[in-house]
């Protein structure tokens, strides 16, 4: 391929990526600090002012413990700038556990709801509220209409949303989720920690798979909690 054609090809790819990313393509991002991970996103980091979907592997679809810890690590850097609202279907969020992960509990507001419809409505309201930098809601699925409403709510004040997929214990078969309105879709599983030379357990680790990224590329990484402004680091990239 000649030089001019290569330039035209890159320009076309960039234009397509911008169209796929939607109207919030120029929104701010939060880099992870790893070139390989940041490189899969169209703007070099996790898009802010959008909403993201996170789901756990296996029975995690009911307990959501691993996915909740990963979500808390993702949100922690944002929490330093404002309020975070966590909307619960079941009142089992362990605040001391969040504090152990380094999440600033003073920034957290917990909201309990009794149905999925209430959870999504509360998430939409929280994303549009003054002073809220991020909002998290437990929900089994988000259809296209609800997803578009969430995105409009994110754009209202620039807040970032997270839908933590969770279905009731003993419920019916898991519903399929289109995810077409989400900026990213993550699938998270636990991984053994590495204590290094110190006794006991090491920092929490997750197998994090980016199944979908609007305008970007999927990928998979072994990620570890770090106690500092970055909150997460890549231990190693994982192959297919």
């Amino acid at each position: 391929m000649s030089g001019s054609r290569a330039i035209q090809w890159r320009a076309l790819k960039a234009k397509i990526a911008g169209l796929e990313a939607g109207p919030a393509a120029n929104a701010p991002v939060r880099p992870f600090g790893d070139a390989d991970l940041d490189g899969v996103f169209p703007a070099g980091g996790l898009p802010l002012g959008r909403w993201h979907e996170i789901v756990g592997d296996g029975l995690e679809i009911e307990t959501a413990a691993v996915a909740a810890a990963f979500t808390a690590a993702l949100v922690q850097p944002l929490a330093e700038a404002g309020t975070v609202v966590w909307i619960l279907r079941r009142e089992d969020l362990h605040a001391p556990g969040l504090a152990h992960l380094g999440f600033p509990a003073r920034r957290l507001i917990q909201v309990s709801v009794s149905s999925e419809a209430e959870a999504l409505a509360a998430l939409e309201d929280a994303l549009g509220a003054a002073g809220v930098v991020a909002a998290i809601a437990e929900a089994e699925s988000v259809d296209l209409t609800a997803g578009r409403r969430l995105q409009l709510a994110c754009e209202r004040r620039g807040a970032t949303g997270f839908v933590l997929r969770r279905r009731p214990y003993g419920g019916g078969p898991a519903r399929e989720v289109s995810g077409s309105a989400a900026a990213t879709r993550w699938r998270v599983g636990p991984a053994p920690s590495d204590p290094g030379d110190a006794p006991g357990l090491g920092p929490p680790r997750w197998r994090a798979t980016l199944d979908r990224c609007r305008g970007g590329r999927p990928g998979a990484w072994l990620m570890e909690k770090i106690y500092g402004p970055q909150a997460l680091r890549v231990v190693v990239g994982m192959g297919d």
Side-chain angles (χ1 to χ4, degrees), residues 42-238:
L46 186 74
L48 305 181
R50 307 291 300 270
W51 70 274
H52 308 269
E53 183 185 19
I54 302 172
V55 59
D57 283 332
L59 290 178
E60 275 290 307
I61 193 65
E62 293 186 351
T63 63
V66 172
F70 180 78
T71 304
L74 275 180
V75 175
Q76 178 194 329
L78 306 179
E80 298 298 339
T83 300
V84 175
V85 179
W86 200 309
I87 299 152
L88 307 168
R89 291 286 305 278
R90 291 189 292 274
E91 297 182 16
D92 55 1
L93 184 64
H94 190 53
L98 291 180
H100 179 70
L101 287 169
F103 190 94
R106 68 188 185 282
R107 301 285 193 181
L108 180 66
I109 295 176
Q110 297 184 47
V111 177
S112 296
V113 296
S114 59
S115 69
E116 179 141 323
E118 288 183 359
L120 294 176
L123 177 58
E124 185 180 340
D125 289 343
L127 289 169
V132 173
V133 295
I136 306 159
E138 299 174 357
E140 185 175 358
S141 64
V142 181
D143 62 27
L144 185 58
T145 299
R148 286 173 174 166
R149 291 179 63 92
L150 291 179
Q151 182 52 41
L152 289 174
C154 289
E155 293 173 5
R156 197 170 302 143
R157 293 184 181 271
T160 306
F162 297 86
V163 172
L164 185 59
R165 280 197 60 201
R166 188 177 187 184
R167 67 187 179 95
Y169 290 122
R175 285 180 281 174
E176 290 297 324
V177 181
S178 66
S180 58
T184 65
R185 185 177 189 272
W186 297 81
R187 182 165 39 86
V188 183
S193 65
D194 181 7
D197 297 328
L201 298 175
R205 286 184 171 185
W206 300 272
R207 299 188 319 274
T209 302
L210 184 60
D211 284 333
R212 184 176 178 279
C213 177
R214 288 178 66 87
R217 307 188 309 273
W221 304 268
L222 179 63
M223 302 182 74
E224 181 178 79
K225 178 73 180 74
I226 56 175
Y227 296 91
Q230 204 63 30
L232 281 169
R233 76 178 184 95
V234 174
V235 178
V236 65
M238 296 190 296

